[in-house]
Amino acid sequence: MFIRTDKIALRSAEPEDASLIYAWENDRNLWRVSGTFVPYSYFQIEQFLLNNNDLFSQQQLRLMICLGETNIGCIDIFDYDPINERAGIGILIDKRYRYQGHAKEAIILLTDYLFNSLMLKQVHCSVDALNDESQHLFQNLGFELCGCRKQWIKTPDGFIDEHIYQLINPKHA
């Protein structure tokens, strides 16, 4: 395991995770929050895991969130920018494991890694205006609302805003 607490662990996604990631990525209920509009093939997921899941060459890394031996979600680092010392993060918890504190614990683990191992100055995330749970989660972890993209995401009911949150490394504040 990459990093862990008493409850959860984060580890790099492996090709063996492709079927679970395939199911998550192709859940149309999640497409709005992931910015996806077309399904991924199993081959695309597998190729990503084999060739592109590398923080330093691709500026992105998918980590699996594990509860014991069970994969309960994933947390991503994207737009990794070592020069400007920042990265974006995104998280997905399988619906069977939501509202149990796992997302909070995973974000704390990841931001600790990003701030103390990669020595980043800041992390950011984007949350659509209808996702109250994620907005509260990030706010409760100290992320500050720093911007809003107006009418940014098209939904069947019209356009909605996207909120941008940022957390500055306390060592750089």
Side-chain angles (χ1 to χ4, degrees), residues 49-63:
L49 294 172
L50 287 169
N51 301 312
N52 297 311
N53 196 30
D54 185 299
L55 186 60
F56 298 104
S57 66
Q58 301 296 320
Q59 290 74 49
Q60 63 182 354
L61 178 67
R62 171 155 293 176
L63 301 169

Side-chain angles (χ1 to χ4, degrees), residues 103-167:
K104 179 179 180 179
E105 197 162 351
I107 293 168
I108 290 169
L109 270 175
L110 186 63
T111 55
D112 180 68
Y113 167 72
L114 293 171
F115 288 160
N116 296 312
S117 295
L118 294 183
M119 296 178 275
L120 296 186
K121 178 180 174 131
Q122 57 189 292
V123 296
H124 61 88
C125 66
S126 298
V127 180
D128 77 56
L130 300 179
N131 192 341
D132 293 331
E133 292 88 0
S134 288
Q135 290 180 62
H136 292 300
L137 170 66
F138 284 105
Q139 289 170 358
N140 289 338
L141 289 170
F143 283 72
E144 293 183 29
L145 180 64
C146 63
C148 180
R149 293 179 174 129
K150 298 289 185 184
Q151 300 182 27
W152 194 255
I153 302 168
K154 187 176 184 178
T155 73
D157 299 320
F159 284 87
I160 60 172
D161 296 346
E162 180 178 73
H163 298 162
I164 303 161
Y165 290 89
Q166 182 179 33
L167 180 65

